[in-house]
Amino acid sequence: MKNLFYLLFLSLFHFNVQAQIKSVKFDTKIMYKFTYQNDSVSSASRKSVFTQLMIGDDESHFQTLSKFRADSALAQKGGSIWSVYSYGRIEPNNFLIVKRADIISTYEPVNGMGFSGNNELSYYEEKKVDMQWEIHPDTAHIHDFVCQKATTDWGGRTWIAWFTMDIPISDGPYKFCGLPGLVLSISDRDKYFTFDMVSISKVNGVSVTLDELRPDLVLQKTTKDNFFKERKKLRNNMTEYALLTGARLSEESKINIRAEMKTDNNHIERH
């Protein structure tokens, strides 16, 4: 199924067979509640999930808690689980964001599928310096920490962050980083997307490598622009993709899929 999909869009991707991310030791775990609204005109589409930021000496990993648990279970079973693709809305939170040195690397399947049903994974890189912050004098107390306000125009949105220098970690949820302290809370100006810290704790953890998740994994290096072009193309042609990959759809199913895709219109980064 997925091989046919990638053959369609082969021309825009540069392939890289290097499928390994080295195992990383973590000593700090920060949990955030992530609330998002993927239909800009319907507050009923608001959802909340828990996410985690794992921090080591040289890099950090950010992902949803559900993805972390699914990947951990998959690694224990040697990557043998298989799931059925559901045509319609693309899962928007099936990413792994790795920050190291001055680079942010995002690992995410174009079709939103997890490792259990997908052995192809795209990744692209961005520079941390592309996120320019303005620090303001405003302060607030969050979880007994004194926080300061900062703003940035990034990803097509204006973001308002509250960071604390009481925790001198220049990191935060999602791709946000570069401030002189840990980001405890951040939201876009329209409050479609909000990350709020829930807890911070010391841990003794080690990350799972991609080879442990799927030994047959094909890792594809692309650019951020091309990644979002391909995802937009998939969103706009979901029924055609379903038919191409062998699915049998009734006319009612086609109508339902197209209607659902219209509500999938509000994404954390605008491209």
Side-chain angles (χ1 to χ4, degrees), residues 128-134 151-154 177:
K128 290 181 179 179
V129 294
D130 292 340
M131 193 177 296
Q132 298 291 317
W133 293 97
E134 180 180 357
T151 56
T152 184
D153 291 320
W154 181 84
C177 59

Side-chain angles (χ1 to χ4, degrees), residues 1 83-91 111 113 238 241-242 257 260-261:
M1 176 181 72
S83 62
V84 177
Y85 186 74
S86 178
Y87 299 100
R89 186 182 305 278
I90 294 175
E91 168 55 49
N111 58 14
M113 289 183 69
M238 183 60 72
Y241 170 49
I257 289 173
E260 185 175 9
M261 296 313 297

Side-chain angles (χ1 to χ4, degrees), residues 68 158 163 245:
F68 168 76
T158 298
F163 70 96
T245 55

Side-chain angles (χ1 to χ4, degrees), residues 25-42:
K25 293 182 179 180
F26 299 117
D27 57 23
T28 303
K29 179 171 72 173
I30 302 155
M31 300 293 297
Y32 293 90
K33 183 180 180 181
F34 175 36
T35 301
Y36 61 99
Q37 182 176 326
N38 51 24
D39 182 356
S40 61
V41 298
S42 174

Side-chain angles (χ1 to χ4, degrees), residues 8-201:
L8 283 177
F9 308 121
L10 183 64
S11 61
L12 288 179
F13 279 91
H14 167 68
F15 289 86
N16 188 333
V17 297
Q18 182 66 33
Q20 176 72 298
I21 296 180
K22 293 182 179 179
S23 182
V24 179
K25 293 182 179 180
F26 299 117
D27 57 23
T28 303
K29 179 171 72 173
I30 302 155
M31 300 293 297
Y32 293 90
K33 183 180 180 181
F34 175 36
T35 301
Y36 61 99
Q37 182 176 326
N38 51 24
D39 182 356
S40 61
V41 298
S42 174
S43 59
S45 69
R46 290 181 70 82
K47 298 178 181 178
S48 293
V49 297
F50 287 101
T51 61
Q52 65 178 31
L53 176 65
M54 303 291 286
I55 298 177
D57 289 338
D58 300 315
E59 67 182 72
S60 68
H61 289 191
F62 180 81
Q63 60 189 321
T64 64
L65 183 59
S66 60
K67 175 178 171 16
F68 168 76
R69 288 173 173 170
D71 290 353
S72 298
L74 184 64
Q76 291 175 2
K77 297 188 178 183
S80 60
I81 304 173
W82 189 256
S83 62
V84 177
Y85 186 74
S86 178
Y87 299 100
R89 186 182 305 278
I90 294 175
E91 168 55 49
N93 300 318
N94 213 349
F95 50 71
L96 170 65
I97 296 169
V98 178
K99 302 170 194 155
R100 63 170 74 90
D102 61 345
I103 297 296
I104 303 171
S105 300
T106 301
Y107 297 81
E108 186 173 7
V110 171
N111 58 14
M113 289 183 69
F115 285 122
S116 62
N118 194 350
N119 68 341
E120 294 172 330
L121 181 66
S122 298
Y123 81 98
Y124 58 86
E125 297 178 343
E126 304 169 75
K127 294 181 179 179
K128 290 181 179 179
V129 294
D130 292 340
M131 193 177 296
Q132 298 291 317
W133 293 97
E134 180 180 357
I135 297 178
H136 303 269
D138 313 57
T139 60
H141 283 79
I142 301 175
H143 291 290
D144 296 325
F145 294 104
V146 177
C147 296
Q148 193 166 350
K149 181 180 179 181
T151 56
T152 184
D153 291 320
W154 181 84
R157 300 181 187 275
T158 298
W159 294 91
I160 302 169
W162 294 93
F163 70 96
T164 179
M165 288 189 285
D166 294 341
I167 306 176
I169 298 174
S170 183
D171 212 329
Y174 196 59
K175 301 177 184 179
F176 300 108
C177 59
L179 287 164
L182 181 68
V183 175
L184 299 194
S185 179
I186 185 167
S187 65
D188 67 296
R189 192 176 296 280
D190 297 318
K191 296 191 180 300
Y192 286 133
F193 303 91
T194 301
F195 295 91
D196 290 311
M197 190 188 83
V198 176
S199 65
I200 181 170
S201 58

